[in-house]
Amino acid sequence: MTSPMIQKDIVSACKIETVKAILDELNDDYFALLVDESFDVSRKEQMAIVFRYIDRMGFVMERLIDIVYVEDTSASSLKEAIFNLLAQHSLSPSSVRGQCYDGASNMQGEINGLKMLIRRESKSAHSIHCFAHQLQLTLVGRMDNLRDSQKSTIQVALDMGELTTGRGLNQQLGLLRACDTRWGSHYKSFNNFIIMFGSILEVLESLALDARSMDERAKAMGHLEACQTFEIAFMLHLMRDVLAITNELNKCLQKKEQDITNAMLLVEVAKRRLQVLRDDEWDSLIAKVSTFCIKHDVLIPNFEEPYVSSLRSRRKLANYTILHHYRVEVFCNIIDWQLQELNDRFDEVTTDLLHGIACLNPINSFSSFDIRKVMRMAELYPDDFDESNISILENQLASYIVDVRDVDERFSDLNGLCDLSKRLVQTKKHSNYPLVFRLVKLALLLPVATASVERAFSAMKFIKNDLRSQMSDDFFSGCLVPYLEKDVFDKISNDVIIKTFQDMKPRRIQL
């Protein structure tokens, strides 16, 4: 039992049975692929592969199947690794009904990207650019613009992420360095900056007094003077309000059971909230900023005076007021940038596919149902609906909508496609309308975000860390899969794992 070889075999047996239980849930049905790559602590490129599928009870599941080492990150190499994994578990690439990746060219390339290579094997494997990743790109795009137009102010807030306040491991607040790929990091940084503003000023004053060199003192004094300006106070509160909206959207997009229709609606909600902020909440923002400035002895400017930029001579006054600068050039511009980015990024789902899925949504007693649009959606899945199935589907849809909307009251309180899938199974209607249920499953299979993959990467540091950085790839994968899929692993009996361990190779003694 203390032999490293025996321990690794036991770990492998645990992983084998965990994956077997997941595949049993899958039940040889269709599934979607969620794939991403990341470096581990030893700087080896790892590819995590997650399956999204509908289990026997109609629940949407996202499960880590494996994490594999890849030397070459070209699309063809990634495809080969994925297909080898599928073959290992006796799964066919033709069963893939959805793909979700980040925006890397090897994933999203329109000619030889991974999504196109898999589409050649399965025409119905529609690809989604990870919504959470797209949302992060809208933030990155805006932050780049801000660095150019408001560099002297916003950079102070970003640089402050390098400061650490307090001691010990139990601090409730901290300032994270803003990162382009860390979801929510910008919102947390700005929010904590506002909450800790007084403490930050004290830290900067201490740094200036205790500086070892004139350069360090000058830098601390520069940050201190910049922080004690109305411009910094205004930018902090504006960015917090804008990022609070997108932060809520981001958290919703990362839910495993999230469906594509709800995701698009959530994006629309975020757009409308930003528009309301732009049109109606200027006065409330100024009131918050003014209260903040009074509390921290920051001078509030006269908004009717001409604006003087810190980058131009004070003798060259601008031909617009301070009010115009903050309301039009800063407030409106930042919100307009965010709205434009959201409009540009979230457009990769084909109109016919999205409209068809929206028509299946049971919200408001199936008020959006349109049989023509649903039939058009079915045509986008040629591997699942041939000519004979299309005519049968149309007849089933006509009976189905009368049943669930007008006859069976058990379908009157549904809040989305996930609820619909579960209720169809609970009421046994999935067997009455098998082709309709197939359409519902195909709609749910389209992934929204690679959050499950990101969770796998977050868990990697607990398995492979600085003190244990030379693990073999098999041992690493064997530890990670049961660790991440604890709920599946906990249901596997020890006897099953022992049997798998015994069957792996001849043993001199029974475990």
Side-chain angles (χ1 to χ4, degrees), residues 14 29 31-32 35 37 72 181 205 268 282 285 289 300 369 371 428 430 440 455 479 488 492-493:
C14 293
D29 207 347
F31 59 91
V35 179
E37 310 152 69
D72 182 6
T181 58
E205 289 175 357
E268 187 60 34
W282 163 259
L285 174 64
V289 176
I300 301 174
F369 186 83
I371 196 169
K428 310 296 184 185
H430 69 298
V440 173
R455 292 184 186 102
C479 291
V488 177
I492 302 171
S493 69

Side-chain angles (χ1 to χ4, degrees), residues 222-253:
H223 283 324
L224 181 60
E225 291 174 4
C227 283
Q228 294 175 306
T229 63
F230 179 83
E231 194 164 17
I232 275 287
F234 181 82
M235 292 298 296
L236 285 172
H237 284 80
L238 172 58
M239 293 307 300
R240 183 184 65 175
D241 288 356
V242 172
L243 292 172
I245 295 173
T246 54
N247 189 57
E248 286 302 313
L249 171 61
N250 177 55
K251 289 191 291 186
C252 291
L253 292 177

Side-chain angles (χ1 to χ4, degrees), residues 2 23 33 58 95 146 187 191 204 250 258 273 305 329 355 359 365 372 432 444 465 467 501:
T2 59
L23 295 179
L33 288 171
S95 297
L146 283 171
Y187 171 71
N191 191 49
L204 287 173
N250 177 55
Q258 193 65 262
R273 285 189 64 193
E305 292 182 355
E329 295 196 336
H355 283 175
C359 290
S365 300
R372 291 181 295 104
N432 295 342
L444 285 172
N465 52 42
L467 297 178
F501 168 79

Side-chain angles (χ1 to χ4, degrees), residues 349-507:
V349 182
T350 64
T351 303
D352 289 338
L353 184 59
L354 186 59
H355 283 175
I357 296 172
C359 290
L360 289 172
N361 200 323
I363 290 179
N364 297 326
S365 300
F366 299 87
S367 59
S368 301
F369 186 83
D370 185 323
I371 196 169
R372 291 181 295 104
K373 292 180 179 178
V374 175
M375 292 299 295
R376 177 69 191 109
M377 170 193 168
E379 294 172 3
L380 298 175
Y381 290 93
D383 296 334
D384 303 286
F385 298 97
D386 54 23
E387 291 184 8
S388 62
N389 277 344
I390 285 291
S391 59
I392 297 172
L393 172 65
E394 188 170 10
N395 185 54
Q396 282 190 15
L397 283 168
S399 300
Y400 156 83
I401 192 60
V402 173
D403 187 350
V404 299
R405 184 171 59 191
D406 304 328
V407 177
D408 197 332
E409 294 183 355
R410 291 175 294 180
F411 288 82
S412 61
D413 60 343
L414 303 180
N415 294 317
L417 287 172
C418 294
D419 286 351
L420 175 61
S421 173
K422 299 170 194 174
R423 194 63 53 86
L424 285 170
V425 174
Q426 291 168 359
T427 59
K428 310 296 184 185
K429 291 187 187 296
H430 69 298
S431 58
N432 295 342
Y433 311 109
L435 295 182
V436 177
F437 185 57
R438 184 184 299 179
L439 264 182
V440 173
K441 289 198 296 183
L442 291 171
L444 285 172
L445 282 177
L446 286 177
V448 175
T450 57
S452 295
V453 184
E454 297 293 340
R455 292 184 186 102
F457 292 148
S458 296
M460 279 179 12
K461 63 184 178 182
F462 296 109
I463 307 298
K464 195 172 186 178
N465 52 42
D466 291 330
L467 297 178
R468 189 170 54 186
S469 61
Q470 299 302 315
M471 301 172 66
S472 68
D473 298 328
D474 290 340
F475 186 44
F476 175 48
S477 175
C479 291
L480 185 61
V481 173
Y483 174 80
L484 202 65
E485 304 299 344
K486 293 185 184 74
D487 58 328
V488 177
F489 178 58
D490 287 344
K491 297 175 183 177
I492 302 171
S493 69
N494 288 342
D495 291 339
V496 171
I497 295 174
I498 290 172
K499 184 179 185 306
T500 301
F501 168 79
Q502 298 291 171
D503 294 341
M504 288 172 67
K505 64 180 72 170
R507 307 287 183 185

Side-chain angles (χ1 to χ4, degrees), residues 147-203:
R147 289 187 185 105
D148 293 338
S149 64
Q150 297 287 335
K151 187 172 183 179
S152 61
T153 56
I154 200 67
Q155 192 61 47
V156 175
L158 297 180
D159 286 345
M160 286 301 297
E162 296 174 342
L163 284 180
T164 303
T165 61
R167 295 179 180 179
L169 299 176
N170 298 315
Q171 298 177 65
Q172 292 183 335
L173 293 176
L175 291 175
L176 299 173
R177 183 167 178 79
C179 170
D180 287 351
T181 58
R182 184 186 293 134
W183 299 343
S185 64
H186 294 300
Y187 171 71
K188 291 178 183 178
S189 295
F190 281 102
N191 191 49
N192 289 352
F193 197 106
I194 291 172
I195 295 172
M196 301 170 62
F197 191 79
S199 299
I200 290 171
L201 295 183
E202 292 178 6
V203 170

